[in-house]
Amino acid sequence: MGGFVVLLFIIELVNTLTFHGLNRTFGLRPRTPDGILDIVTFPLLHANLGHLLSNALPLMVFGFLAFLSGLRVFLTALASSWLGSGLAVWFFGSGGVTVGASGLVFGLFAFLLVRGFVNRSWWQILLSVVLFLAYGSILFGVLPSVTGAVSWQAHLGGAVGGFLAAILLRPRLKHPRQGELAS
């Protein structure tokens, strides 16, 4: 996750040097045909350094905690959050260009909050409680905002993606084969 955040800072440096021209080219534009491709790029871009800094620490914390469950779990949670965030902005965005990794933050956070309950793991539930107490107030970011500066659609879509990843990654119940008794 640290490498990903370093990549985001490198991209922000290039973006700043080009007067945020990357945002105009690769930021997500809702309901446009080429906006579909921007779903891949918009979390890599930020409005400014302050915007990136506000996403960097939670990305590192939540990404690290998700990665502790393994690369497959981490990549599934990240991809689901990325896709959920992008689709929500593309379908429901209010116009303009959307950039930022906050949808990933919300997705990884939702994944970490839900997975303990889905997995019935007491230590993951304990982690959920600790994370909720420390970061729970960010959940207000999924509510429609009066200001157009915050994409609540990206936040909500990312959170839904994280929730779906937790469901998708839940342990499968073993069913006995025909003729075997379940113990």
Side-chain angles (χ1 to χ4, degrees):
M1 203 65 214
F4 180 70
V5 171
V6 168
L7 174 66
L8 294 180
F9 276 98
I10 292 169
I11 292 170
E12 179 56 29
L13 175 64
V14 171
N15 204 9
T16 300
L17 293 174
T18 62
F19 304 103
H20 287 91
L22 296 177
N23 290 359
R24 291 185 294 278
T25 305
F26 298 107
L28 201 154
R29 293 170 303 279
R31 294 173 301 284
T32 62
D34 57 340
I36 295 281
L37 296 175
D38 299 329
I39 289 172
V40 175
T41 56
F42 89 102
L44 302 172
L45 304 166
H46 288 81
N48 53 48
L49 185 60
H51 183 209
L52 175 54
L53 287 170
S54 70
N55 285 326
L57 180 61
L59 263 179
M60 295 272 290
V61 171
F62 302 153
F64 172 76
L65 292 171
F67 192 77
L68 289 177
S69 294
L71 182 61
R72 182 181 68 83
V73 169
F74 167 73
L75 290 176
T76 302
L78 185 67
S80 183
S81 302
W82 199 310
L83 185 60
S85 178
L87 289 174
V89 171
W90 194 84
F91 279 111
F92 307 112
S94 58
V97 175
T98 299
V99 294
S102 57
L104 305 181
V105 169
F106 277 79
L108 291 171
F109 184 57
F111 171 75
L112 292 167
L113 288 180
V114 171
R115 77 172 173 164
F117 297 98
V118 171
N119 294 347
R120 296 185 182 128
S121 166
W122 68 267
W123 76 267
Q124 289 178 350
I125 292 171
L126 180 61
L127 176 63
S128 297
V129 170
V130 170
L131 286 175
F132 183 77
L133 292 173
Y135 289 98
S137 64
I138 72 168
L139 292 175
F140 287 111
V142 302
L143 300 174
S145 174
V146 178
T147 67
V150 175
S151 176
W152 63 270
Q153 298 93 338
H155 297 171
L156 181 59
V160 168
F163 176 84
L164 292 175
I167 300 297
L168 179 70
L169 293 167
R170 74 186 179 278
R172 304 286 183 231
L173 296 175
K174 293 182 181 180
H175 297 288
R177 293 184 197 143
Q178 189 173 0
E180 292 181 9
L181 295 176
S183 46

